Amino acid sequence: MEESLIFKGLRATLVERLKEKGIRDINVLNVIARVPRHLFLPTGFEKQAYEDKPFSIACGQTISQPYTVAIQTELLQVQRFDKILEIGTGSGYQAVILAEMGAIVYTVERLRELYLGARRTFRQLGYSIDSSWSDGYEGKENNAPFKGILITAAIPQIPQKLLDQLATGGRLVAPVGKEDMQTMTVVEKISDNEFNTFHHHSPFKFVPMLKGTDSNIHHPAFLNKQ
Ligand code: SAH
């Protein structure tokens, strides 16, 4: 069988699993059925790409489990042409899922190697995703406000700066909690200073959201603060 057909079959099976696990948004399921997740994993691990598991990528980071990508995307309630900021580009898979949902996507990554890798992937696959090498704690002031902000790394609490960059009527989705376990948290911005917060039931484990980019490591001012 042609290789692309094998991957298509594996994706269809994955989508069935995601439905069993409670993913309902048909647009999210359709997008997962279409995007070749194997292109976001290191070469040689193509078959693992369609198991519902996280996977190690470069720099000790991970591409989230498909279920996690699906639930985060579903909770974000993405509409066509929504301006979305993703924090933690990693492999670039989640950003492409958002682009396929019809969003205008901005994504930021603190590690240069991952930023460069994802940028190459976006180009190769033909996506115009705005990606930058910067600290997600700063958000992306110049492009704010965002209809949605998706944080894909664990944070102890949601930074005020990111809530400020959220549009009224917008949503922020983030895994909030300690290093070993987080709760998926959704914050709706009702007005400039009114927020509605709720949680998704199951626990998650993300890599931590760290301050600064890896350029700071070589910066004397940063070293002094350590
Ligand atoms: N969304 C990714 C997976 C994210 S893993 C994917 O689809 O593959 C979390 C990512 O967040 C890691 O790549 C990590 O380097 C990045 N990260 C952690 N802290 C950050 C910060 N302050 N700003 C930007 N990226 C950050």
Side-chain angles (χ1 to χ4, degrees):
M1 207 196 305
E2 198 195 325
E3 192 161 82
S4 64
L5 277 180
I6 296 176
F7 289 132
K8 207 172 162 203
L10 292 172
R11 280 198 294 278
T13 309
L14 172 63
V15 162
E16 288 311 309
R17 293 241 53 212
L18 297 179
K19 278 190 198 163
E20 283 161 25
K21 288 186 174 177
I23 303 299
R24 290 281 166 270
D25 188 326
I26 190 68
N27 294 329
V28 173
L29 293 167
N30 285 344
V31 161
I32 289 178
R34 244 193 347 254
V35 175
R37 187 170 183 265
H38 62 278
L39 301 180
F40 298 82
L41 264 62
T43 43
F45 296 98
E46 287 77 9
K47 291 278 151 58
Q48 280 92 329
Y50 301 107
E51 290 170 8
D52 189 22
K53 288 183 183 156
F55 203 84
S56 295
I57 53 172
C59 310
Q61 303 303 314
T62 43
I63 175 171
S64 302
Q65 180 177 348
Y67 173 75
T68 305
V69 172
I71 193 74
Q72 284 202 295
T73 311
E74 184 170 275
L75 289 171
L76 202 60
Q77 295 188 343
V78 186
Q79 304 289 323
R80 240 183 137 62
F81 306 122
D82 279 354
K83 197 160 66 165
I84 308 283
L85 173 65
E86 181 203 20
I87 295 172
T89 315
S91 67
Y93 177 69
Q94 172 75 74
V96 162
I97 293 288
L98 294 169
E100 282 286 331
M101 295 286 292
I104 298 157
V105 184
Y106 295 81
T107 182
V108 302
E109 170 58 55
R110 66 181 291 276
L111 298 177
R112 186 168 166 79
E113 186 181 332
L114 292 178
Y115 151 73
L116 289 173
R119 205 179 55 162
R120 194 178 321 117
T121 308
F122 298 149
R123 233 183 254 149
Q124 278 166 356
L125 299 180
Y127 290 100
S128 57
I129 290 172
D130 183 301
S131 70
S132 44
W133 177 38
S134 61
D135 180 4
Y137 279 99
E138 298 301 318
K140 207 156 189 294
E141 193 91 61
N142 292 344
N143 302 98
F146 295 96
K147 188 71 197 302
I149 299 182
L150 181 57
I151 304 181
T152 68
I155 44 166
Q157 61 197 43
I158 297 168
Q160 184 59 41
K161 218 173 212 170
L162 297 182
L163 294 174
D164 291 344
Q165 292 183 24
L166 197 60
T168 299
R171 279 189 159 208
L172 180 147
V173 175
V176 180
K178 301 219 167 72
E179 287 233 351
D180 54 344
M181 202 176 89
Q182 303 93 40
T183 308
M184 198 58 75
T185 304
V186 180
V187 182
E188 283 175 336
K189 188 164 180 171
I190 297 163
S191 73
D192 267 0
N193 46 20
E194 273 177 293
F195 297 93
N196 193 0
T197 303
F198 62 93
H199 305 281
H200 180 75
H201 53 82
S202 50
F204 293 87
K205 191 175 186 306
F206 281 72
V207 295
M209 182 157 157
L210 302 173
K211 293 236 162 84
T213 68
D214 56 354
S215 72
N216 300 135
I217 294 164
H218 311 292
H219 195 279
F222 182 81
L223 290 176
N224 288 341
K225 280 191 217 143
Q226 298 295 293

